[in-house]
């Protein structure tokens, strides 16, 4: 018995030094995707866009994936788009083009183009995403006016150096204003299948400041007190080139209507999800 135990221990000690990290994955072998965009493709069914932070030593000049060099500052990122027949094939095709493996464990935004949202086939696009073991169901669903790829390119958070932190804080601001919803992938997909409720999504758009007029007659105090703007219509100058404001309404997986910021607040009140916000009212005892 002692001989058998001695042989067993000897074999075990000999095996231990032979173990290795064959299945180990280094951090610089992955690309941590912060947001994805889904458009209708031209060359194929999908146009899959991914946005990821560029890992770079701060203050040093290093080449990016395209071969160009830029100084390592905050908010640096790459956006890669690929036309593909399906989501998973598109991921493999992008992996081949950037020589890194896409990792979706830290994804924050899933941006859907308005064309797909109104087509009635959104469920077909979300089905492979909801099955992914990497994509968290707490990721937020956005419906953007125009191209989802362009939305990802224009989203350049002006504050801080962390792209994902800025997107997290963006959703948190909903609790302070109520101008848009906090729609997650889990809630959206469950409501698509539900027989008694319909899903909503955050309404997003590019805003290049076209509604910010420096010249012209001055507005009266009674103008637009209800904040009747939708995404892309805010009279703003500076800051980010994209904005979240209002929400998109769905019947099943088909987008049927949009709500502006004021209407979204009323909807959240009915649902018991309105937390805080400022309102402007005319003084009944003093005109203007």
């Amino acid at each position: 018995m002692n001989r058998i135990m001695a042989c067993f221990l000897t074999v075990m000690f000999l095996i231990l030094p032979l173990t290795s990290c064959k299945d180990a994955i280094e951090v610089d072998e992955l690309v941590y995707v912060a947001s994805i965009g889904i458009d209708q493709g031209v060359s194929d069914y999908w146009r899959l866009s991914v946005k990821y932070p560029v890992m770079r030593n701060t203050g040093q000049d290093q080449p990016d994936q395209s071969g160009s060099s830029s100084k390592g500052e905050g908010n640096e990122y790459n956006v890669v788009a690929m036309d593909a027949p399906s989501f998973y094939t598109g991921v493999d095709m992008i992996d081949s083009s950037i020589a890194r493996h896409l990792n979706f464990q830290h994804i924050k935004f899933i941006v859907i183009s308005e064309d797909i949202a109104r087509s009635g086939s959104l469920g077909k696009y979300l089905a492979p995403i909801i099955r992914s073991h990497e994509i968290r169901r707490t990721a937020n669903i956005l419906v953007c006016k125009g191209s989802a790829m362009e939305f990802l390119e224009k989203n350049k958070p002006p504050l801080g150096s962390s792209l994902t932190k800025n997107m997290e804080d963006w959703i948190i601001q909903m609790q302070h204003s109520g101008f848009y919803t906090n729609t997650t992938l889990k809630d959206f997909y469950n409501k698509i299948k539900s027989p008694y409720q319909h899903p909503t999504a955050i309404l997003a758009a590019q805003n290049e400041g076209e509604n910010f007029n420096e010249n012209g007659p001055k507005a009266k105090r009674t103008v637009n007190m209800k904040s009747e703007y939708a995404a892309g219509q805010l009279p703003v100058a500076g800051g980010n080139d994209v904005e979240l404001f209002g929400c998109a309404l769905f019947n099943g997986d088909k987008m049927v209507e949009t709500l502006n910021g004021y209407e979204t607040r009323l909807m959240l009140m009915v649902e018991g999800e309105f937390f805080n916000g400022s309102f402007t009212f005319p003084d009944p005892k003093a005109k203007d």
Side-chain angles (χ1 to χ4, degrees), residues 60-79:
Q60 297 181 2
D61 291 342
Q62 296 190 5
D64 60 16
Q65 294 292 343
S66 61
S68 61
S69 177
S70 58
K71 194 164 186 177
E73 298 174 351
N75 291 334
E76 293 188 65
Y77 62 90
N78 276 348
V79 175

Side-chain angles (χ1 to χ4, degrees), residues 23-33 52-55 65 95 98-106 134:
D23 58 346
I25 301 176
E26 300 295 335
V27 174
D28 57 359
E29 295 177 3
L30 301 175
V31 167
Y32 294 95
V33 178
Y52 56 89
V54 177
M55 292 185 291
Q65 294 292 343
D95 284 349
I98 65 176
R100 295 288 189 277
H101 178 63
L102 298 181
N103 185 286
F104 296 96
Q105 291 181 349
H106 300 286
E134 288 187 352

